[in-house]
Amino acid sequence: MSHVHPTRPGVPEPTLTSDTHVPCRKPGSTDTPASPAATAVPTQHKGPAIHGPLRGLAGFNAAGPAEAEALLLSCCHSRRWAERVAAHRPYPTVDTLLAAADEAGYDLSRADLDEALAAESSALPHPDAPPAARTALRAAHAAYESSFGHAFVISLDGVRPGERLDQVLAGIRSRLGNEPEEERVIAADELRRLARARLAFRLSEALTPRHTGS
């Protein structure tokens, strides 16, 4: 696919969207819910590897600054965002942590947003997608990246798997007509939603690392 950043050996090919649904928690709960084993981690960027297991919210709260920031950078690759969220530990509940991540996401500076968007990669279509759909998606991503200089980001939480490809194509086509500054605002909001969804998912998975770097 045009303009897709290469992945490191042993790291799953990045996908663009946060398409994992995290099971609901009771309000105020400090527990991290179990997630279906068949659900894939919603990564879409070239974030740092996580080399050790962090066990849920308690593990995140107790982790060293570098380890906590590495986890956060795998959700949104803004160094200042990660440092800010990590610095306010301990969080009493998962909901409190997610709210803090949201708040920090609203405060991304222009440089922070540029840093985060530069780490994102364009979504790959499902391997079973028809050739025509794959071609259309490649062309749409290339047109978007040529216009705005970064990968197209969109959160697909709540969108059924069979509808996601159409949703991405429709999103790219509708946003291609935006002025650059208008699109930055939209991309920043989508990135904030993605960061929250990724962080919630990693907590629900007990933050088990996907590879060891060996």
Side-chain angles (χ1 to χ4, degrees), residues 102-140:
D102 255 357
E103 181 181 354
Y106 281 117
D107 292 337
L108 292 179
S109 69
R110 189 176 190 89
D112 296 332
L113 181 58
D114 286 342
E115 179 186 22
L117 289 174
E120 300 293 327
S121 297
S122 299
L124 296 175
H126 191 279
D128 295 336
R134 297 173 66 86
T135 299
L137 187 60
R138 283 196 297 269

Side-chain angles (χ1 to χ4, degrees), residues 16-20 44 152-159 167-168 175 189-195 197:
L16 181 64
T17 56
S18 175
D19 53 11
T20 300
Q44 76 174 68
F152 177 73
V153 291
I154 186 172
S155 173
L156 295 183
D157 284 340
V159 179
Q167 191 82 357
V168 172
R175 287 163 57 180
D189 188 58
E190 293 292 335
L191 188 66
R192 177 185 58 79
R193 295 171 60 200
L194 283 165

Side-chain angles (χ1 to χ4, degrees), residues 56-134:
L57 180 64
F60 176 77
N61 281 335
E67 192 175 16
E69 288 169 18
L71 169 73
L72 291 164
L73 285 169
S74 74
C75 300
C76 176
H77 199 79
S78 160
R79 177 68 60 179
R80 192 170 73 91
W81 176 86
E83 290 174 348
R84 176 177 172 181
V85 176
H88 285 83
R89 295 176 298 152
Y91 292 94
T93 67
V94 171
D95 290 329
T96 305
L97 168 57
L98 297 180
D102 255 357
E103 181 181 354
Y106 281 117
D107 292 337
L108 292 179
S109 69
R110 189 176 190 89
D112 296 332
L113 181 58
D114 286 342
E115 179 186 22
L117 289 174
E120 300 293 327
S121 297
S122 299
L124 296 175
H126 191 279
D128 295 336
R134 297 173 66 86

